[in-house]
Amino acid sequence: MYDRTRIAAILAMPMPTVESGVRATVCGWIRSRRDSKAGVSFIDCNDGSSITGLQIVVPATMPGYDELLQRAQLGASIRAEGQVVPSQGRGQAVELQAERVEVLGEVDPELYPIQKQKMSLEHLRSIPHLRARTRTMQAVMRVRSYLALAMHRFFADRGFTYLHTPIITSGDCEGAGEQFRVTTHQTGSSATAAEDFFAREAFLTVSGQLEGETYACGMGEVYTFGPTFRAEHSNTSRHLAEFWMIEPEMPFCDLDEDVELACDFVSALIAGTVRDCADELAVLEKQAPGLTGRLQKQLDAGYARVSYTEAIERLAKAGRAVEWGRDPGTENERFLVEKMFRKPLVVTDFPAGIKAFYMRHNDDGRTVAAMDVLVPGMGELIGGSQREERLDVLEEHMRRSGLDPELYRPYLDLRRFGSVPHAGFGLGFERLLCLVTGMQNVRDVMPYPRTHGHCV
């Protein structure tokens, strides 16, 4: 019944094929309809297979034309049959001369929340179940799909193994305590953790890193890509309660090699987007003018590198409110990238007190072998480190961080049985998407964003 040709396939047809005569049936949703005084209607139909829709030309002589005008409103779904022909108008190479149009699903134009005129991203966030009908969100989600596939290709080409790490865990990788608890107990229950489903406290994962490390120290280079969860009460444009993380882990690897991989990874994905997603970027340019040029400029600029100490000294000389031993914050990170270095920046060797327990301590006794990759418009995009491979040093730092080493016994076993230097990083996928799509809010690059006080 619904044997159809995707609109993307029709738009890709060579002109000699079209001119030789091609019949097609398309199904999709109406983006716009224009009725001419000459008794012809022009319907812009999109089925999701392409950012560009297909113009369907409907003559007034077609049977049921008057009824169609009443029912074929913006947002309605239709099925159209006819001849694919070279277009006589501007803006498209081909069009469908309709011989029959059937309305599959009607729309009340008074109630439909998507209109032909430009709508704000804030309005679209209020209707996440319908915003996929818009060009902007289709472009974002197509880039999201492209980057996910490009990410897998990048690591596969380098011999990495894709690892599925648990979503339910019993530990806290970051040690910050901002976790969602998993329980079968009813609210208000007095039952103990030992009486719960897993016979201990369990949480939604904040990172797959610790599990990734265990497999890297047995299988070689691995990476994880999956949902992670943070119970932060942050209502900012950079934070989500549920987001996706890319986390590679490499044995026999130090901080310098970790930095090199991180920079190569970001550059490869940006270059691929510029090369392969031109249609999507053209749509997104309307929200973020100059987007493609900025991405190309970032590719051409490469990466600068400084230590945390040098970065703090530079910021202090510029009159910024900073103090050694404290997180410089997003605004200072952006100042470094956008005003001082004017290019992406790698900051390394952070004070141990502001970084996680698993990072390798440097010989100075004050800093750890950590790195952040900062990019224009965003600040921190990647956080990574060389992992602490020395059992005694790791256990001591865990105690100082208030963590019970006994809860991390499998992780510590890596240091007991054949320990090796190793490193890795974590990249928030939604932040990468903001960078390449020009979106200013991570809520606009996640299909269904979950934030503090909001779960629809």
Side-chain angles (χ1 to χ4, degrees), residues 311-338:
I312 293 298
E313 290 172 351
R314 285 173 174 257
L315 288 168
K317 288 180 181 179
R320 308 289 294 188
V322 291
E323 180 182 345
W324 198 97
R326 294 184 179 274
D327 190 319
T330 301
E331 292 306 314
N332 283 323
E333 289 173 346
R334 292 188 60 177
F335 186 83
L336 282 167
V337 173
E338 298 166 15

Side-chain angles (χ1 to χ4, degrees), residues 163 202 331 401:
L163 182 68
E331 292 306 314
S401 301

Side-chain angles (χ1 to χ4, degrees), residues 29-41:
W29 294 269
I30 297 176
R31 274 183 172 166
S32 67
R33 194 192 83 199
R34 177 172 58 87
D35 305 320
S36 74
K37 295 179 180 180
V40 178
S41 291

